[in-house]
């Protein structure tokens, strides 16, 4: 199932932003739960939630300016590849690479090694999950033909 073209990639970019916001809110909740309700952790999580809309706006701009062209290029490179997991993996790798490159270009990383891993995970989860989500949305919107339904392991269902 091909998810290509400017409209599909723009939709994928929007899904990427949605995935990133949800994952970061869940991550902040987990950090808060693990650290307890102490004063320092409470103020850190509260500050992160306050800055989350600004961070989401910056992420939206970066996804639009950098992620959209990279998504178009990645989709065109994978145009002849029919395996969906290859597309998801490729988008995840591109997202991880772009995230690390953008953070490194702004000198966001310190000497701690986990910052690189977090940046790579953010990009991989955002782009990979968005690509998988885009495929699922596209697969639901395109009905199967009789021959495709008959080729399923459980056979064709319906009238």
């Amino acid at each position: 199932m091909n998810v290509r073209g400017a409209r599909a990639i723009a939709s994928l970019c929007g899904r990427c932003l949605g995935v990133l916001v949800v994952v970061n809110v869940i991550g902040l909740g987990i950090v808060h739960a693990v650290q307890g309700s102490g004063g320092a952790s409470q103020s850190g999580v509260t500050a992160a939630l306050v800055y989350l809309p600004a961070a989401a706006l910056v992420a939206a701009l970066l996804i639009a300016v950098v992620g959209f062209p990279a998504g178009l290029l990645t989709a065109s490179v994978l145009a002849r590849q029919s395996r969906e997991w290859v597309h998801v993996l490729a988008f995840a790798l591109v997202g991880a690479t772009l995230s690390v490159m953008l953070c490194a270009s702004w000198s966001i990383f310190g000497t701690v090694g986990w910052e690189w891993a977090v940046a790579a995970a953010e990009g991989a989860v955002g782009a990979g999950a968005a690509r998988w989500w885009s495929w699922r949305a596209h697969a639901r919107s395109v009905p199967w033909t009789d021959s495709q339904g008959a080729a399923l392991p459980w056979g064709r269902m319906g009238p």
Side-chain angles (χ1 to χ4, degrees), residues 33-134:
V34 168
Q35 290 183 349
S37 61
S41 70
Q42 181 70 23
S43 64
V45 170
T46 303
L49 284 174
V50 167
Y51 290 116
L52 187 65
L57 180 62
V58 170
L61 291 172
L62 289 173
I63 289 170
V65 171
V66 178
F68 180 73
L72 287 173
L73 180 63
T74 305
S76 67
V77 167
L78 296 172
R80 296 187 188 266
Q81 180 58 253
S82 62
R83 293 184 185 101
E84 183 58 27
W85 67 268
V86 174
H87 287 256
V88 172
L89 182 63
F91 272 81
L93 290 173
V94 168
T97 303
L98 287 176
S99 178
V100 169
M101 286 174 43
L102 286 169
C103 289
S105 69
W106 288 341
S107 302
I108 292 176
F109 297 129
T111 57
V112 182
W114 63 269
E115 294 168 342
W116 294 84
V118 169
E122 287 268 339
V125 167
R131 178 59 179 89
W132 176 83
W133 186 5
S134 295

